[in-house]
Amino acid sequence: MKNLKGFLLVFAALLFVSACQPTPESETVIQTGDFLKNLQEVPFAPYEAPERVEDSKTESGLTIAFDAEVIVPEASAYSIVELEQVQYSQEEIAALMDLFAPDANWINGMEQTKSDLIEMNYRIQSSDRYTESEKKEHERIFQKNLELAPESVTQTPFDLAAAYAAGRGTAWHPLEDGSYASFSMNCDTWSWQYRRKEGASVTRKDFLTPDVTESDSFMLADFEREPEISQEEAVAIAQELLSKLQLSDKLALYSADKAIVYDCRMPYIYGWYFIFTRVNNGLQVPYDFSGWNTWQGSPAPAYAAPWDREMAAIFVDANGVFSCNVCGLAKQTEVLYENVALLPFDALLERIEKQMVYQHAFQQDGVTDQAVKINSIALRLAVINIKDKPDYGMLIPSWWVDYVSSYTQNGVENQFNNTTIFNAIDGSYIEPRAMAEMLGYQ
């Protein structure tokens, strides 16, 4: 069984594809109980690997094709660093709220009134960005909610102490144009988010699936317009915010994309969406929204994530920071090893091949033409758990292998984009995108 789970800051999805346990032609080390055992410091030397790998073979009925770029960033050391999860105090949460809206009149979120619902329904019914079936369904829900909605609501002050004790909460800040800014916190995951306009959603072009949904087709054309602020100007504003958050020495820019804030599927603000992730000695932790994968045909990953993945996502428009979402934040507590030896590249290739067999050599009735095509092998960083030490993790060098898996089942071709991750020190299979309880093994 293959499980897929991903998140957009607070977003998640799950997918299942069935498969049976394959039988590899030969055994190989899939995981180690403790890769730190007997590990020693070594002098640093740049990692030796080719720029590209091109090869093809068949193992256990699976065609494994390498047409892969090998990415090895220039590094100064391959270290192992201990991290501790950041847990905010109530005073620190208050300081964050004050950073985005000094002396703001924060209130609790308010229930929608009858007039709010009527206005929203009018906007949807008169919009060409909703299908007739969507409009009909919204009208049905609107009529039902209208009967229960109050004529008016009263603002109530936001009680940070009560929200902190409860572990989560969202505060609203009234703005002059009648809209609301918001600040949300979650003490279970120690994540938080600020938005200048509550209810509006930030969308990147690669979030759209125009071949699946009609509404995404409408929005695709919106991305032809350029933001009113350049990427260089916007990233400078985002980095200034990181400096105020005291994160500029820990996180570096990982990706930059044009994005649009939508309100009722209409473009509201054009700007730039930046993701910042942890760096160390020239290597960086990747971040994307494609999720994580595990297979029942493969033994469980040797290590998982100790907490939610660390990153800061900042959206900037011509008026400054529109939104900031920080999750999985950690602080360095100790350098366990200044530099360690990494698994030789030939041995890594063997590990990749064997892991592909475990994951994709389906042997159930009706499945044929099993194949994987490996497109990229990149040396990055990963944050994994420290066994028997909650709230702590390790930052280690890791290989992120991007590939396409495919097979035919009962005459139907299936194809999936995947990433499998390996500990760069011993080659064991790890999953730093999901915590252990999320992996779904029975």
Side-chain angles (χ1 to χ4, degrees), residues 230-240 253 256 272 274 276 316:
S230 70
Q231 179 178 332
E232 292 74 18
E233 293 170 322
V235 77
I237 293 173
Q239 289 171 333
E240 181 182 4
L253 182 64
W272 296 92
F274 303 110
F276 296 85
V316 177

Side-chain angles (χ1 to χ4, degrees), residues 242-276:
L242 283 183
S243 180
K244 292 178 180 178
L245 295 171
Q246 299 181 6
L247 296 176
S248 55
D249 62 335
K250 304 175 183 66
L251 307 182
L253 182 64
Y254 179 72
S255 64
D257 297 277
K258 286 194 295 186
I260 301 173
V261 174
Y262 281 91
D263 185 18
C264 212
R265 292 191 186 169
M266 292 298 296
Y268 177 69
I269 292 174
Y270 293 79
W272 296 92
Y273 188 82
F274 303 110
I275 293 178
F276 296 85

Side-chain angles (χ1 to χ4, degrees), residues 324-341:
C324 177
N325 182 11
V326 173
C327 60
L329 195 62
K331 58 185 177 183
Q332 180 175 318
T333 55
E334 183 182 358
V335 177
L336 302 178
Y337 294 89
E338 291 286 353
N339 187 77
V340 296

Side-chain angles (χ1 to χ4, degrees), residues 190-208:
W190 298 108
S191 59
W192 57 267
Q193 181 183 65
Y194 163 80
R195 286 191 294 183
R196 193 194 306 148
K197 181 176 174 61
E198 170 64 26
S201 59
V202 178
T203 299
R204 293 182 352 192
K205 186 176 180 179
D206 60 355
F207 290 169
L208 303 177

Side-chain angles (χ1 to χ4, degrees), residues 300-357:
Y303 289 86
W307 48 72
D308 285 351
R309 299 170 69 186
E310 181 182 41
M311 69 96 172
I314 302 174
F315 179 83
V316 177
D317 62 27
N319 294 316
V321 174
F322 176 86
S323 66
C324 177
N325 182 11
V326 173
C327 60
L329 195 62
K331 58 185 177 183
Q332 180 175 318
T333 55
E334 183 182 358
V335 177
L336 302 178
Y337 294 89
E338 291 286 353
N339 187 77
V340 296
L342 305 186
L343 188 72
F345 192 74
D346 287 346
L348 172 68
L349 292 181
E350 180 182 353
R351 278 293 302 115
I352 293 173
E353 293 169 4
K354 297 303 181 183
Q355 190 65 34
M356 292 300 106
V357 170

Side-chain angles (χ1 to χ4, degrees), residues 175-427:
L175 303 177
E176 292 182 358
D177 63 359
S179 63
Y180 295 86
S182 69
F183 184 93
S184 302
M185 64 170 185
N186 186 329
C187 297
D188 293 332
T189 58
W190 298 108
S191 59
W192 57 267
Q193 181 183 65
Y194 163 80
R195 286 191 294 183
R196 193 194 306 148
K197 181 176 174 61
E198 170 64 26
S201 59
V202 178
T203 299
R204 293 182 352 192
K205 186 176 180 179
D206 60 355
F207 290 169
L208 303 177
T209 52
D211 55 335
V212 176
T213 65
E214 186 175 344
S215 62
D216 283 8
S217 298
F218 286 123
M219 292 188 284
L220 189 63
D222 298 331
F223 284 84
E224 296 177 4
R225 173 175 164 175
E226 292 295 321
E228 296 178 359
I229 183 173
S230 70
Q231 179 178 332
E232 292 74 18
E233 293 170 322
V235 77
I237 293 173
Q239 289 171 333
E240 181 182 4
L241 174 59
L242 283 183
S243 180
K244 292 178 180 178
L245 295 171
Q246 299 181 6
L247 296 176
S248 55
D249 62 335
K250 304 175 183 66
L251 307 182
L253 182 64
Y254 179 72
S255 64
D257 297 277
K258 286 194 295 186
I260 301 173
V261 174
Y262 281 91
D263 185 18
C264 212
R265 292 191 186 169
M266 292 298 296
Y268 177 69
I269 292 174
Y270 293 79
W272 296 92
Y273 188 82
F274 303 110
I275 293 178
F276 296 85
T277 63
R278 184 170 290 270
V279 291
N280 189 46
N281 297 328
L283 301 182
Q284 187 167 15
V285 178
Y287 194 96
D288 59 44
F289 299 108
S290 61
W292 52 266
N293 304 14
T294 61
W295 291 262
Q296 280 190 337
S298 169
Y303 289 86
W307 48 72
D308 285 351
R309 299 170 69 186
E310 181 182 41
M311 69 96 172
I314 302 174
F315 179 83
V316 177
D317 62 27
N319 294 316
V321 174
F322 176 86
S323 66
C324 177
N325 182 11
V326 173
C327 60
L329 195 62
K331 58 185 177 183
Q332 180 175 318
T333 55
E334 183 182 358
V335 177
L336 302 178
Y337 294 89
E338 291 286 353
N339 187 77
V340 296
L342 305 186
L343 188 72
F345 192 74
D346 287 346
L348 172 68
L349 292 181
E350 180 182 353
R351 278 293 302 115
I352 293 173
E353 293 169 4
K354 297 303 181 183
Q355 190 65 34
M356 292 300 106
V357 170
Y358 271 89
Q359 294 178 174
H360 299 291
F362 303 156
Q363 293 185 357
Q364 67 183 56
D365 293 340
V367 172
T368 60
D369 304 323
Q370 305 96 310
V372 296
K373 181 184 177 183
I374 297 166
N375 300 315
S376 174
I377 306 171
L379 183 59
R380 307 295 193 202
L381 293 175
V383 179
I384 59 174
N385 63 303
I386 298 179
K387 296 177 180 180
D388 302 320
K389 195 172 183 180
D391 300 326
Y392 284 82
M394 286 182 289
L395 184 69
I396 66 167
S398 58
W399 289 101
W400 295 62
V401 178
D402 295 335
Y403 64 98
V404 176
S405 61
S406 61
Y407 61 92
T408 300
Q409 186 169 22
N410 299 323
V412 178
E413 295 182 2
N414 298 272
Q415 184 171 292
F416 304 94
N417 294 317
N418 292 304
T419 300
T420 293
I421 305 158
F422 300 85
N423 184 333
I425 299 165
D426 68 352

